[in-house]
Amino acid sequence: MKQFLTRNMAKIGPLIGLIVIMVILGVLSDNFFTLSNIFNLLRQVSVNALIAFGMTFVILTAGIDLSVGSLLALGSALTAGLLTSGMDPLLAVFIGLLIGLALGAINGIIITKGKVAPFIATLATMTIFRGVTLVYTDGKPITGLSDSFTFEMIGKGYVFGIPFPVILMLIIFVILFFILRNTVFGRQVYAVGGNEEASTLSGIKADRVKIWVYSLTGMLSVLAGIIITSRLNSAQPTAGSMYELDAIAAVVIGGTSLAGGRGRIVGTLIGALIIGVIDNGLNLLNVSSFYQQIVKGGVILLAVMLDRRSK
Amino acid sequence: MGKITPFIEMTNIDKSFSGNQVLKQVHFAVEHGEIHALMGENGAGKSTLVKVLTGIHQKDAGVVKVNGKETTFTNPKEAEEKGIIVIHQELNIIPHLTVSQNMFLGKELTYGKTGIMNMVAMKKQTIESLKRLGVTNIHPDETAGNLSVGKQQMIEIARALATNAELIVMDEPTAALTDREIESLFKVVDSLKKQGVSIIYISHRMEEIFKICDRITILRDGQYIGTENIADTSFEAIVKMMVGRELGQRFPERQHQIGEVIFEVENLERKGLFKNISFDVKEGEVLGVAGLMGAGRSEVMEVIFGFHRKDSGTIKLNGENVSIKHPRDAVKMGIGFITEDRKAKGLVLEASIRENIALTNLKTVSNNGVISNSKENKMVMDLIERLQVRATGGEQDVKSLSGGNQQKVVIAKWLGIEPKVLILDEPTRGVDIGAKKEIYTIMNELTKNGVGIIMVSSELPEVLGVSDRIMVMHEGEITAFLNRDEANQENVMTAATGGSKS
């Protein structure tokens, strides 16, 4: 048993951490384990989790995407623009997701064909996407989007009493989990991150894999953005700022190596839950948001240090 | 009196790692001014023995005497103070620092205790230390990373001497050197010996050991097998001691039929690297590609395989022109490429044997993009068995395998595609002698089934022993084609150094 634990610490460590934090919060606050709080928490988590799922793919290829927050804002604003023009909501959402895919592909192409380091490339597009958003919206929120049931459902709806964003997140989690674990593409993602040269020499088109990974992240970011937009019934030009940090934190807490090639999307889900639980719990306990940031940073450090230990 | 005390004397050394005994009652002694070869297959315990000597590992039992006095080093720094220095295969040179900065790394000369460095003195001493080795063509202000590997090694040796080394351990020192650099290394080694410095020489290259060493100690499976005077022993005797059985012929008997031409290259050129490269390979044939390091052989192979772009030239498979723009195209056509540097280009080190073997075969082991676990496992286990990869199973990390077994994994992943043409670049580098023969046997088996093999190798005996035909390159051009029966060390070397075009 002890051997099993030490060997699998890297895998179950984050889960144990999550459980410990939840038990502590449950003891400290009577409201924590209420159904409404848990659903509220999960709905908040779903936005970060969706972005972090994409980020997991990116980081597995030894990349990073700093542009997700800006990309979220731009995609949301453009989708909102389509909605105000009177387009069918479902079609608008679909086009919005395609825009996300395309913006992500731009990142991927700059990185692979332009041979720019992912950190620099997405740092630049982070600024550019935000700038384009501000130009497009003229710095003002886009409001009065749609009163269609379908569109409101995305951010505010419930299915069998469960918030729709949570269901959406779980469905996408299952799909991505399957892709990483059981498909050729998933295997290629790990291989390219583990050793790009060896992968290329084995006949894998590493550039193509990377472009897809950034495209996926772009699409998931816009999906997260559409959830927010639907919930607020408006698109904010400043939406998503600093979201890249929570997404990266979730991936890292979940045990995925920034060096690429090693990690699991289950870890990312748990990482996103840990961050969400901390935010939520500290709110319940009326801890000031200033202190919240200190706690969150501490948890990230602790998680990474424990992860190092177990190796 | 009578007997002179050896510089190093290790007796009855035991060492275990978590219950696994890696050294059992090992003896090892090095005289003053002696070049002593330490040989054994990968995993025989050579590096552990050296690590025990230098204090990186602590022995479980046994005695280590330095100059007749019992000594235990607790870390390499202490060993260094007693004049014992290890030069690792991966050199300890910081590439963006200058030669003299590297020479004095960690022990910079300063003006008194001010912490201000005395550059002038350091440069002067650098020049002197290098001169002691007979090296005068390295400037102390040169950036170390711009120097050849051979020169970088000289800096390390000079650094060792500057600390008054009495014993230098050289771990595979010639692995990355050109023939000319090897010659100058041997000269340096010889002059060190005359100055009374002892050397422990770890190498898989038998020719070198017979050329420069005085004595040889052989380990097998962590046990001491024996120590011989080089003058009184033979290649066969050493091999037998190493593998514990008669290995038979060094190069296994070949049974194959050479058939039609299957692969042709015409006038291949990549500007600045090579030009006018034309050759063909027939079914069941081994075409050896000889040449000095830097002759452009690996570059030609990487261009053929689509890893780099060609400037001009055509490639034909079964007589038809083919276009290879990416390694994927080559793989689809049934061309395999076992790269020179297996750690950087052949393997995903963090991944398992299974994942590495599957990498080239993802299409075969999947249905509509979804990997079939049963297909994958079957393929992997079949290949592990066929190549006799020694591992606990498909899930073992390739990182933890010995060099020979890692190389077998690389070969396995290419056998999976059932290649028609297989390019092997330095297939036995850093591989012990038993695994070497196994690799030759695999090559034979492939040629028997009609595979055409292109083998790039810098080891002359290997090129001569394995090839049906030998193509020799010099500075990016082909200088000779030699048939098996007409090739010998001399005419291959002449062509490799650009001596004659035939």
Side-chain angles (χ1 to χ4, degrees):
Chain A
M1 183 64 191
K2 200 182 161 200
Q3 238 188 347
F4 172 83
L5 273 181
T6 43
R7 208 165 345 114
N8 292 295
M9 198 56 203
K11 283 188 184 169
I12 50 177
L15 184 60
I16 293 173
L18 177 65
I19 293 169
V20 168
I21 294 170
M22 285 176 72
V23 167
I24 293 173
L25 288 173
V27 171
L28 291 178
S29 164
D30 292 340
N31 295 328
F32 183 74
F33 275 116
T34 58
L35 202 60
S36 70
N37 184 53
I38 293 293
F39 278 154
N40 183 32
L41 184 164
L42 286 176
R43 195 176 49 219
Q44 285 164 356
V45 166
S46 63
V47 169
N48 181 33
L50 284 170
I51 303 171
F53 291 160
M55 192 69 82
T56 308
F57 278 72
V58 167
I59 290 179
L60 279 175
T61 64
I64 194 98
D65 189 344
L66 301 178
S67 73
V68 286
S70 306
L71 203 156
L72 178 157
L74 181 52
S76 306
L78 292 172
T79 309
L82 293 175
L83 284 168
T84 48
S85 77
M87 188 184 270
D88 174 68
L90 265 183
L91 183 63
V93 167
F94 182 70
I95 293 176
L97 294 179
L98 287 184
I99 290 171
L101 197 76
L103 293 174
I106 291 176
N107 278 333
I109 289 166
I110 294 172
I111 289 162
T112 54
K113 306 298 175 194
K115 300 197 194 310
V116 181
F119 186 94
I120 306 295
T122 58
L123 185 68
T125 54
M126 171 172 94
T127 315
I128 294 170
F129 292 160
R130 181 70 66 190
V132 174
T133 313
L134 289 167
V135 170
Y136 178 72
T137 61
D138 201 17
K140 293 190 277 280
I142 301 176
T143 52
L145 303 180
S146 166
D147 43 17
S148 96
F149 173 74
T150 326
F151 188 70
E152 289 197 342
M153 181 77 190
I154 297 173
K156 299 182 204 165
Y158 287 83
V159 177
F160 305 122
I162 302 167
F164 186 72
V166 177
I167 292 176
L168 201 58
M169 172 194 78
L170 289 175
I171 291 172
I172 286 174
F173 169 76
V174 170
I175 295 171
L176 296 178
F177 178 84
F178 178 79
I179 288 178
L180 267 186
R181 195 187 148 98
N182 292 316
T183 67
V184 169
F185 177 72
R187 189 64 70 78
Q188 290 174 338
V189 168
Y190 280 102
V192 167
N195 186 341
E196 188 176 338
E197 257 193 318
S199 303
T200 305
L201 281 163
S202 298
I204 291 171
K205 297 209 159 175
D207 285 359
R208 199 187 282 178
V209 172
K210 285 193 193 170
I211 291 171
W212 270 114
V213 154
Y214 286 93
S215 305
L216 174 73
T217 304
M219 190 171 75
L220 290 172
S221 301
V222 172
L223 180 60
I226 288 171
I227 291 174
I228 298 172
T229 309
S230 157
R231 184 151 182 77
L232 303 176
N233 202 21
S234 74
Q236 307 285 335
T238 55
S241 39
M242 311 291 271
Y243 277 25
E244 62 279 355
L245 298 184
D246 271 356
I248 294 168
V251 176
V252 170
I253 291 174
T256 295
S257 157
L258 282 176
R262 269 182 307 133
R264 290 158 348 124
I265 199 163
V266 184
T268 300
L269 178 60
I270 294 169
L273 285 170
I274 288 178
I275 292 175
V277 165
I278 290 172
D279 280 342
N280 172 276
L282 295 179
N283 272 334
L284 287 181
L285 297 172
N286 288 320
V287 176
S288 113
S289 67
F290 300 163
Y291 284 104
Q292 287 190 21
Q293 298 195 24
I294 299 174
V295 173
K296 219 154 85 180
V299 168
I300 295 171
L301 276 181
L302 193 72
V304 176
M305 275 150 68
L306 286 175
D307 194 36
R308 285 282 162 282
R309 264 252 178 104
S310 63
K311 277 182 195 116
Chain B
M1 301 294 280
K3 226 176 128 189
I4 307 160
T5 353
F7 178 55
I8 298 290
E9 196 172 9
M10 302 174 84
T11 34
N12 298 326
I13 304 291
D14 280 351
K15 176 73 194 171
S16 302
F17 291 113
S18 46
N20 182 15
Q21 194 162 10
V22 288
L23 292 178
K24 298 168 208 153
Q25 301 283 305
V26 172
H27 303 280
F28 186 52
V30 184
E31 310 281 344
H32 290 277
E34 174 191 41
I35 305 177
H36 198 131
L38 187 55
M39 246 193 143
E41 298 192 81
N42 291 328
K46 293 166 297 187
S47 46
T48 312
L49 186 67
V50 168
K51 283 175 182 163
V52 166
L53 172 65
T54 53
I56 294 172
H57 295 322
Q58 301 307 313
K59 60 183 185 289
D60 297 337
V63 178
V64 178
K65 286 183 182 172
V66 178
N67 272 323
K69 254 202 319 210
E70 192 171 338
T71 316
T72 306
F73 300 122
T74 52
N75 61 54
K77 192 98 191 159
E78 286 179 20
E80 214 176 298
E81 280 159 13
K82 291 274 184 204
I84 300 172
I85 304 242
V86 182
I87 295 180
H88 295 280
Q89 203 175 342
E90 271 101 36
L91 296 175
N92 219 341
I93 294 281
I94 299 182
H96 52 265
L97 295 184
T98 68
V99 172
S100 66
Q101 281 168 343
N102 267 295
M103 277 280 298
F104 286 92
L105 200 65
K107 36 193 174 247
E108 288 82 359
L109 302 178
T110 55
Y111 294 103
K113 286 193 172 164
T114 56
I116 301 168
M117 291 190 289
N118 186 345
M119 312 273 196
V120 180
M122 287 196 286
K123 281 180 202 166
K124 220 176 120 202
Q125 284 196 23
T126 303
I127 295 172
E128 276 166 18
S129 302
L130 287 167
K131 210 183 251 170
R132 202 178 143 196
L133 295 175
V135 178
T136 50
N137 57 354
I138 301 178
H139 193 275
D141 284 339
E142 252 175 295
T143 306
N146 295 341
L147 298 172
S148 68
V149 182
K151 284 184 176 174
Q152 292 183 12
Q153 203 172 45
M154 289 302 157
I155 300 172
E156 282 226 29
I157 297 173
R159 182 160 68 189
L161 289 180
T163 57
N164 295 316
E166 289 188 63
L167 172 70
I168 301 179
V169 182
M170 294 186 178
D171 188 1
E172 294 271 358
T174 56
L177 298 191
T178 66
D179 286 39
R180 208 165 302 158
E181 285 173 325
I182 291 175
E183 277 311 311
S184 49
L185 175 72
F186 287 175
K187 270 186 208 146
V188 167
V189 166
D190 203 51
S191 83
L192 289 174
K193 180 182 162 182
K194 284 184 185 128
Q195 296 170 38
V197 177
S198 312
I199 286 164
I200 298 176
Y201 195 88
I202 302 174
S203 176
H204 287 305
R205 295 192 182 171
M206 211 64 98
E207 287 75 21
E208 294 175 359
I209 285 168
F210 276 91
K211 196 163 176 188
I212 61 163
C213 296
D214 302 307
R215 288 199 299 164
I216 180 167
T217 291
I218 290 147
L219 302 181
R220 189 204 318 145
D221 300 329
Q223 275 172 328
Y224 172 80
I225 302 300
T227 302
E228 301 283 339
N229 286 320
I230 289 292
D232 306 333
T233 187
S234 66
F235 177 87
E236 288 75 23
I238 290 175
V239 171
K240 196 179 166 193
M241 288 169 86
M242 274 200 320
V243 298
R245 61 195 146 92
E246 298 270 4
L247 201 60
Q249 268 181 301
R250 187 172 176 191
F251 302 104
E253 200 68 47
R254 313 214 33 210
Q255 310 157 333
H256 60 288
Q257 286 279 311
I258 294 180
E260 302 288 303
V261 169
I262 45 169
F263 187 71
E264 287 164 90
V265 173
E266 275 166 28
N267 291 317
L268 198 68
E269 172 166 5
R270 184 170 160 92
K271 292 203 168 71
L273 287 174
F274 55 81
K275 60 182 177 191
N276 295 329
I277 303 296
S278 303
F279 65 87
D280 59 40
V281 187
K282 301 179 187 74
E283 288 174 350
E285 182 186 44
V286 177
L287 175 73
V289 183
L292 302 178
M293 228 165 268
R297 296 169 298 163
S298 300
E299 288 77 2
V300 170
M301 300 309 148
E302 289 187 347
V303 167
I304 289 175
F305 198 65
F307 190 55
H308 295 300
R309 215 167 293 161
K310 65 179 186 223
D311 287 322
S312 62
T314 50
I315 296 170
K316 287 183 189 170
L317 191 66
N318 289 323
E320 276 174 51
N321 274 336
V322 291
S323 150
I324 301 175
K325 294 198 174 102
H326 186 277
R328 161 168 263 179
D329 302 330
V331 175
K332 275 188 186 157
M333 291 167 201
I335 303 172
F337 184 21
I338 290 156
T339 50
E340 180 181 9
D341 187 340
R342 64 178 159 266
K343 283 186 181 157
K345 293 181 176 172
L347 294 168
V348 183
L349 281 176
E350 299 283 349
S352 65
I353 297 175
R354 171 178 57 80
E355 287 164 307
N356 271 286
I357 293 180
L359 214 52
T360 45
N361 302 297
L362 289 173
K363 194 135 206 183
T364 326
V365 299
S366 63
N367 305 317
N368 303 320
V370 178
I371 292 175
S372 149
N373 289 333
S374 57
K375 275 190 188 174
E376 184 183 22
N377 281 326
K378 184 170 184 320
M379 167 176 249
V380 169
M381 293 323 286
D382 284 353
L383 284 165
I384 287 180
E385 188 159 331
R386 183 168 158 203
L387 298 190
Q388 295 177 18
V389 180
R390 273 175 276 282
T392 54
E395 297 308 313
Q396 191 176 345
D397 280 354
V398 292
K399 195 171 50 179
S400 61
L401 296 175
S402 71
N405 281 307
Q406 285 183 347
Q407 188 69 343
K408 285 191 204 164
V409 172
V410 180
I411 297 176
K413 78 180 207 188
W414 287 112
L415 294 197
I417 72 163
E418 290 171 10
K420 298 188 198 92
V421 177
L422 188 61
I423 306 170
L424 298 109
D425 196 352
E426 305 287 358
T428 66
R429 173 172 293 171
V431 166
D432 64 56
I433 202 143
K436 260 187 190 181
K437 184 158 177 188
E438 287 175 307
I439 290 173
Y440 299 141
T441 309
I442 295 162
M443 288 168 67
N444 277 353
E445 200 185 295
L446 289 172
T447 48
K448 215 164 95 185
N449 295 325
V451 177
I453 288 185
I454 304 169
M455 181 190 71
V456 176
S457 173
S458 298
E459 274 188 64
L460 265 185
E462 176 172 282
V463 174
L464 293 167
V466 176
S467 316
D468 296 304
R469 256 186 325 142
I470 298 169
M471 170 174 116
V472 191
M473 284 184 66
H474 170 69
E475 290 183 353
E477 287 187 78
I478 297 173
T479 47
F481 278 103
L482 299 160
N483 280 322
R484 184 187 183 87
D485 41 17
E486 60 177 342
N488 55 41
Q489 301 247 358
E490 287 70 37
N491 55 21
V492 173
M493 269 328 281
T494 312
T497 47
S500 72
K501 294 201 179 191
S502 56

